[in-house]
Structures are given as C-alpha cells and as structure tokens.
Amino acid sequence: MKLPALALSGFLLAHDASSFSPSIGSTTRTSATSLNSVFSNPGSLGTGEGWIDPSAPVNSAESLKKTLAESLKGSTFQKRISILGSTGSIGTQTLEIVDACPDNFVVDALSAGNNAELMAEQVMKYSPKVASLSTPEAAEKLKAILKEKGCADMPDIVWGAEGITEAATVSSADTVVTGIVGAAGLLPTIEAIKLGKDIALANKETLISGGPVINPLVEKHGINMLPADSEHSAIFQCLQGVPPGGLRRVILTASGGAFRDLSKDELFEMCENDPRAVQKKATTHPNWDMGAKITLDSATMMNKGLEVIEAHYLFGASYEDIDIVIHPQSIVHSMVETQDTSCIAQLGWADMRLPIVYSVSWPHRLKMPYKPLNLAEIGELTFKAPDREKYPCIQLAYDAGTKGGTMTAVLNAANEAANDMFREDVGLGFLDIPKLIEGAMEAHKADFKDKDVTLDDILECDAWAREYVTEKTKDVVNPKLIIV
C-alpha cells in the first residue's frame, strides 16, 4: 500500500520512488545502461564548453613548469604542516605518514574536536606550536592533561572557530591538511589560502559548497590545491605530465555502496517492505571501514555525485566530461581519458594513506612501508554503469553542479541534514533522502545566486538548506492526508 503524497512548498514529493524524476538544471544526462556507454560517452569532446580554470596544479603550462621544478629538488624536502581534524581518520593517518617520514615533515599546528586525551598524546609526541579544540572546556582539559604529563614545550592552546583558523594560519606552516568535516572548514581554508599556504584537501565542502569563492582565491594567491581523497588523488596523479589541452574526460570510479548487488526494483521493494533492513544495510559499507555519514552517502551514491562537483572545480572539466563507473573491487581509484582516447588509471589497495601522502609530498614519491599491489592476487577487475533511476542522488548532483552558484551549497547541506535524520532513526525512509534534497533545490530557485557569490552567501544557503530539510522531515515522518 502506498502512503499519501506530501506537498512541500508546491513541490510534490511522492512516496512512489519509481516516479522520481529530478528536474533542476539546464541539461539532462541520459542514464547509462551498459559498460560500453560508460567508456564511450564523448562528452563535449574537450571543446572547452563548460570547462573552467582548475584549482589543482594541472592542465596548464605554468603547472607543468611548477611540477618539474619541484620534482627536481629531490626527495630530501621538508614541509611544515598544520592538520585540521588531527584526531579523526584523516588526521591520524597523516600523523602516521609523519612517523614514517620524520625527515620530510614537521607538525606546526593541530586542531580537533573534543578529544582532549588524544590531542594531549599528539602534542606530547609532535610538539606543535598551536593546539585547538572545539570548546573552552576541552581546551582547559587539554591544558590540565599536558601539565600533568610535564609538557616542557606547551603549545598555544586555543578553541572554537577562531582556534581552527589560528591553527590553519600558523605562520611557519606551508601546507594545511583540511581533515575537518563540514562547513566549519571553509573559513580556515580561505584564510590559509590568503596567506599563500598549500592545501591538502580532504574537506569536501571547500569546493562543493565553496567552489565559486575558493577557485578565484587559489588563482589569485597562486597556491597548490592538492586532493587528499582517493578518487581525486587518482585523477591528479594521472594528470601528471599531461600537457595543456590534453585532458578529454574524467572517469570517477565508485564501489557502488551497500546496494550495488540489488536491482532498482529489488531496492525499492525492500524500502517499502523492510525499511529496518534497509537502514541497517545502508550504514554498512561492503569495502571500506568509513564514518557513518560517508557510508550512507555511498549507499545513496551521493558521495559520487559530490565528487563529480569537486572534480569540476579541481580539474576544470565540464560536467558533460565527468563520468561515473561502478568498480566493486575498489582497486582502480579513477581514470582520465586524453584527447587521443588513451585512458590512464591509478591503481592501489584501498588505503587512504596513499592519497594523503601524495597530497603532502607532491610531486615527490616517498618510499612508504605499505603492501605493494598484486594484480594476480586480485584476480579480476570489473566495471558497470550506475543506474540513475536507482540512484537519483547522482542526477541531483549533476543538476546542481550544472546550475552552479549557490545551488551546490544547498545540495550539500540538504544531503547532510537528510543523512543525519536518516541515521538518527526519526522515521525517515531511505528514498526520502533524495526527495528532500530535490525539494530543497526546487525551493532555492527563488533565491538562487550565481554571480558575485560570497562566503556569506554560501554559509546562509548552507544554514537555510539544513533548516528546510529538518522542517520538511517532520512532514515526511508525520504525513498529512491531502483531500482532493
């Protein structure tokens, strides 16, 4: 039995998922249906329509000269780094790299949430100049622990948003690792860019929400935006040595998430008949041990849609020239196609340390104590096209990206809010996630801005979208009958 439909701000969000049809944006991309279509879509043929200047150091004569000059310096370099999110997954893995290459890296600043105990251990080991935590209580706790441990070189202990910015802008650091989650990473990243610091980018909001502001700043201050996640690092690595104008297409690989082995009909039937099983499965990733938010994003495949937007800003390719292919083994981390139709891929085990180490050591190749890739051990690599009817979040991301401006900030914030609500188990269904996101995008049309976008515009759209989803979730969970 189908539940009654919900009218939200004049936009019909039907519980019948089979009728889902995203509509934002000026172009429509046809759903791919075969492996052949994934690898043969010509996109814009590199004509330049829809392409922009990249924020990563690629696709230009200047970037080639810079890469060569840095490469010839040899692997005896030393970088001073600031790590935002030092107690999280990105931060702790970055510190593992510091441990493996102590001659190459010095830690000048650390920022984290409220884990004062782990921060204290990191301060004692790495002696940063600045240590920042989220709250004044956590900062006081850190100070007390360090005194108890007899810390001889006490850092400047700060807290809150200002503390994160202080960590990002510490004068001696030349590279900032942005492992902090959410819009809180935007302002510190902007301030670091203004001071000429390179960014090892692990914070998705920086470009997905802030791209219209960030890319001009990167160009103005001449810094290097270096991707620290696996897919964009793979693309970045593949583009090393590709001459200006040589890139034709970007191909992002995806694990396929929790529901990759179900057909669209099987998934929709499961959502209707066994929502509890769907909730459990959606928060368990088949390949990776990741955080709860990104695991659910992988199940909806919004994570891949967001990566499409990030790839646009990082590498400059038009949305018509960025494709997605499901690759269950997660060995090929992404590919590029050059103008002569050659495909260049980056392969490796599913280990987040690999993209992180390249982001902080680029363009050098440091010797690391990791397990080498063995293709014979893997046995086979398979690929298939994603079903955009099964995964409507993919199309929503393409539509938001094509629209540009503040629409991507709304997409990202609405997704985060819907993701949170689903995981909080308030009664939101798996297929309600894309419906709420599309509703927010549709409602935002009235206030959409694509010219002279500022950081305040982005933050306002972010806050509005979260509030919109929170309010509309109440209508989804407690639907009102519509009498016709």
Side-chain angles (χ1 to χ4, degrees), residues 2-5 13-21 268 272 431 435:
K2 295 176 183 176
L3 297 174
L13 298 183
H15 281 269
D16 180 4
S18 62
S19 65
F20 191 94
S21 180
F268 290 177
E272 183 172 352
L431 296 174
K435 295 172 189 175

Side-chain angles (χ1 to χ4, degrees), residues 4-7 475 478-483:
L6 301 173
D475 295 335
N478 302 295
K480 298 177 182 179
L481 287 172
I482 301 174
I483 302 175

Side-chain angles (χ1 to χ4, degrees), residues 216-296:
L217 284 175
V218 169
E219 183 175 2
K220 178 180 178 181
H221 296 282
I223 65 101
N224 299 308
M225 184 69 75
L226 307 166
D229 67 307
S230 60
E231 293 83 359
H232 298 100
S233 175
I235 297 162
F236 183 52
Q237 292 179 60
C238 291
L239 286 173
Q240 300 303 299
V242 173
L247 175 63
R248 183 188 191 195
R249 186 162 56 112
V250 168
I251 304 166
L252 288 161
T253 56
S255 68
F259 302 111
R260 68 188 181 198
D261 296 324
L262 298 181
S263 69
K264 177 191 71 174
D265 292 340
E266 288 171 334
L267 173 57
F268 290 177
E269 182 179 352
M270 189 178 180
C271 288
E272 183 172 352
N273 298 328
D274 198 354
R276 302 304 303 178
V278 170
Q279 179 146 20
K280 182 178 180 180
K281 191 173 180 64
T283 53
T284 306
H285 197 277
N287 290 7
W288 304 80
D289 181 15
M290 304 186 295
K293 192 266 182 185
I294 186 62
T295 299
L296 179 55

Side-chain angles (χ1 to χ4, degrees), residues 26-27 43-52 312 316-321:
S26 57
T27 63
S44 70
L45 299 176
T47 59
E49 184 178 357
W51 286 59
I52 63 172
H312 169 69
S318 73
Y319 288 99
E320 290 293 328
D321 294 306

Side-chain angles (χ1 to χ4, degrees), residues 4 7 32 61 67 72 74 143 255 263 273 312 394 437 448:
T67 303
L72 293 177
K143 189 178 297 184
S255 68
S263 69
N273 298 328
H312 169 69
I394 294 176
I437 296 167
F448 169 73

